[in-house]
Amino acid sequence: GGGGGRPSTAMAAAGGADEAMMERLRAILLKGQATGGAAPAAAAATATTAATTAAPAAAASDGAWDIELCSPSKVNLFLRITARRDDGYHDLASLFQAISLSDKLSISKLPDGATDDVFECDMEGVPNDRTNLVLQAVDCFRENTGSSQFFKLRLEKTVPAQAGLGGGSGNAATALYGCNE
């Protein structure tokens, strides 16, 4: 986890996006499945075919995941704090570029009757509790959709934690997308 924004902000932004933007997001996230994990910077403009042809892995008793997604990262070319808000967060002006470094998030629905999500991450030091932005995003998904579905999630980290590359925020956005699928 990390990042200064709240998952609910990402949810509101995603909810208001037009269909073309959602297709571009889908292309970026599914691109890693087709290429072994790397989402090229130009994926948003060029990978719409992957979004319509890449199928999520079917759930199976052999441990297969319902969906496996690429969680892209970015680098800030500049970042300026423009104001401090009353809620303790900051308004920012930023220019960033997507980079090919990405994490992998695998998601499966848990059976009816599950009472909590199951989350694991392969990087030491990344929290596996509700302080992790992935689980906060899943909670936000349920709050905003009325869903009672719980999930098993596995995060395979390549993006260094706390490095300013947007890994935690990207993981949260990918979790929102995956839960919605």
Side-chain angles (χ1 to χ4, degrees), residues 4 78-85 88-95:
F78 80 84
L79 176 69
R80 180 175 309 148
I81 298 173
T82 60
R84 182 177 173 106
R85 302 184 333 206
Y89 289 90
H90 297 89
D91 289 330
L92 303 175
S94 178
L95 177 63

Side-chain angles (χ1 to χ4, degrees), residues 5 28 31 65 67 77 97-98 115 141 166 177:
I28 291 168
K31 183 69 175 177
W65 296 91
I67 191 166
L77 300 176
Q97 174 64 49
T115 59
F141 170 79
Y177 175 84

